[in-house]
Structures are given as structure tokens and as C-alpha cells.
Amino acid sequence: MTPELLLKQWLESRLPADAQTWLADAAAKLRNGSDTELYRSISLVTRKIGKADLAPTTAELKQAGVAREGWNPSDWSLDQAARIYLLLMSGTDGATFLRRLDQLCNTADVGELVAFYRGLPLYPDQSRYVLRAAEGIRTNMKAVFEAVAHRNPYPAEQLSEPAWNQMVLKTLFIGSTLHPIVDLDRRANPVLARMLCDYAHERWAAGRPISPELWRCVGPHATGDMLRDLGRVLEKGTAPERNAAALALASSPDPAATGLLWAYPELSIAVSENKVSWQTLAGSA
């Protein structure tokens, strides 16, 4: 089943009769419809549909992942789902779709922007939206940034390494969390590891805290002075920071990392027995 059919099915099962009728009429008018009809329908969504949570079931989330690998609408609302549904129903020509999306984003409020950016992995001709995604990453609006960065497979699939690295670094800079970023571990790279260690030094120099999650992308590429940074965290860090450093050392390919971790047997055992993980650290953050 396609994403637009799933969205239609989910919305119909949750909306009252009058809202269902309005949505069906709006979608019918959009088939080969004008730009004006699309923009008018999108602007009426909140009034007609409301902002209740979509709250997909476990089975529906599984359907989403089958329809589009990596699609996770777990935190979508009904109005967001309706906006993306109407946008998808307006046509599948990539050039026209991008032009309409840009126009919608240029006049959107925060809530609408969150919807449009969450929909990125569902749009036709995926490579066309890299600049749009970059615009979302540059924003100062945290909710909009997280609509691109969190639970969204688009950045991992389409962003260049420099753009990806900047997104991960900005996630920490604005006080957000790394664990909802799709394919965070797969796209870790040596340049990002160096950038994160440099950022850690800036924070240390300013006497400011560092998210334990920072070390997740450092570990697989940690060697040399990066190991010394992790050793500093083991020696001086808080309990979550020390757990993070231990996990990072366990993922390092450098034999010296193993020796450093063994100097702290309680942490080495906790990691080897899976008593600490990036998931548990994220849950305690």
C-alpha cells in the first residue's frame, strides 16, 4: 500500500463524518487541480481536521515501514497527516511538486513547516528536496529543525557528508538529542568525530556541560587524542558521561581503547554484559 493510501485510511478511521467528507472532496478536486486549489485546501486543514494526535498503532507503524522504509509517523498529528495526504494527492511530477512545496513553505507557520518537513521521505523524485531539507536544518525554530533531523530517513539518504555532519553538530548545539536521528551510527565518520571532539573542547573551556550522546559518533573513529578525550571523561565525567565514554571506547577500532577501558573494570563489565547502552543513556537523559 502506498503512503498516500495509508494516510487516507488512517484519517478516515479517526475523523468524524463531516471532516471525512471535506477531506474526500478536497482530495478529489486536487487530482490535476490548480495551485490555488491546493493552497486553499492546505490552509483549511486545521479548521476542518483539528490538531489531535494521529497516535498510530503498532500495526500501523509497521505498515508505514513497509510502504516507505524508515517512515515513522509516531509523533504526527491529524492535521500534519492531512496536509501531507493532500500534497501527495496533488500530483507526482517532481518539478511541479517541488515548486508547490517551496511556495507552501515560504508562507507557512511553524506547525505547517513541521508537517511539510516530516513529509520529505514521502515526496516524489527524492533528490529534488536536498536544498529544502538544508533550509529546514538552517532554521532557528527547534521544532522545524527536529522535523528534518528526528525520525526522518531523508537526511541519512540524501545529505552530503558535510551537510550531515553540520546537522548532527547543530543537534547538540541547540540542546536537542541525537538518538532519534535515523542511521546515526551508519553515517558516523572521521570528520564528524573530529568536529565533535573540537566542540567538546569548546564546551569544556567555557565550563559548559556536554551531552553524553556526543561520544556515540566519536567512538567508531576514536584514536590518538580522541582517546585522551575519552579518558578525561572516564576520569572526571558524571555517571552518564562515563557510561557514554565506555560505550565509545568499546566501539573504537584502536587497540589502545581496549586497554583504556580495562582500567575501569566496572564500566568494562557493564558494557560487555549490555548493562549500559546508547538506548538506556538516551532514556535517562
Side-chain angles (χ1 to χ4, degrees), residues 44-284:
L44 291 172
V45 163
T46 302
R47 189 193 313 171
K48 299 292 186 180
I49 303 296
K51 292 186 173 182
D53 291 339
L54 177 64
T57 65
T58 301
E60 288 170 335
L61 289 174
K62 186 175 180 180
Q63 287 178 315
V66 172
R68 201 300 188 191
E69 186 176 0
W71 180 26
N72 180 356
S74 59
D75 53 356
W76 286 30
S77 58
L78 292 179
D79 61 306
Q80 291 168 355
R83 285 193 174 91
I84 301 308
Y85 169 64
L86 292 174
L87 195 49
L88 292 173
M89 292 302 292
S90 70
T92 56
D93 171 67
T96 302
F97 199 98
L98 175 60
R99 177 177 57 74
R100 288 172 166 177
L101 178 65
D102 283 341
Q103 178 59 35
L104 286 166
C105 288
N106 289 339
T107 57
D109 60 25
V110 174
E112 291 169 331
L113 284 172
V114 168
F116 297 141
Y117 282 114
R118 283 180 169 172
L120 280 173
L122 307 183
Y123 301 154
D125 206 354
Q126 286 278 279
S127 62
R128 289 183 179 273
Y129 311 100
V130 171
L131 293 179
R132 170 52 52 194
E135 186 71 19
I137 291 169
R138 279 195 297 271
T139 182
N140 292 323
M141 294 178 281
K142 187 175 181 181
V144 175
F145 172 84
E146 291 179 339
V148 183
H150 285 177
R151 288 174 283 279
N152 190 336
Y154 192 87
E157 294 174 355
Q158 298 293 335
L159 293 188
S160 66
E161 183 174 293
W164 171 265
N165 291 348
Q166 286 298 327
M167 185 189 80
V168 173
L169 184 60
K170 182 171 179 177
T171 304
L172 294 168
F173 184 78
I174 66 173
S176 188
T177 51
L178 293 185
H179 64 275
I181 295 178
V182 175
D183 281 341
L184 178 67
D185 296 323
R186 182 178 68 80
R187 291 215 53 183
N189 60 80
V191 174
L192 176 60
R194 170 50 56 199
M195 291 169 63
L196 293 174
C197 285
D198 290 345
Y199 176 68
H201 279 268
E202 292 174 10
R203 302 281 294 186
W204 283 333
R208 305 183 71 177
I210 297 169
S211 168
E213 285 190 305
L214 178 147
W215 304 109
R216 181 170 178 170
C217 296
V218 173
H221 303 281
T223 187
D225 57 354
M226 293 184 193
L227 294 182
R228 286 192 287 276
D229 290 342
L230 289 166
R232 169 178 172 162
V233 178
L234 286 176
E235 182 181 351
K236 301 180 179 179
T238 63
E241 289 171 338
R242 296 179 75 240
N243 285 335
L247 286 167
L249 287 169
S251 66
S252 169
D254 191 326
T258 303
L260 181 56
L261 182 55
W262 283 353
Y264 298 85
E266 79 285 2
L267 290 173
S268 179
I269 292 171
V271 171
S272 64
E273 295 182 351
N274 296 318
K275 293 180 178 177
V276 59
S277 67
W278 293 115
Q279 288 71 33
T280 58
L281 275 177
S284 63

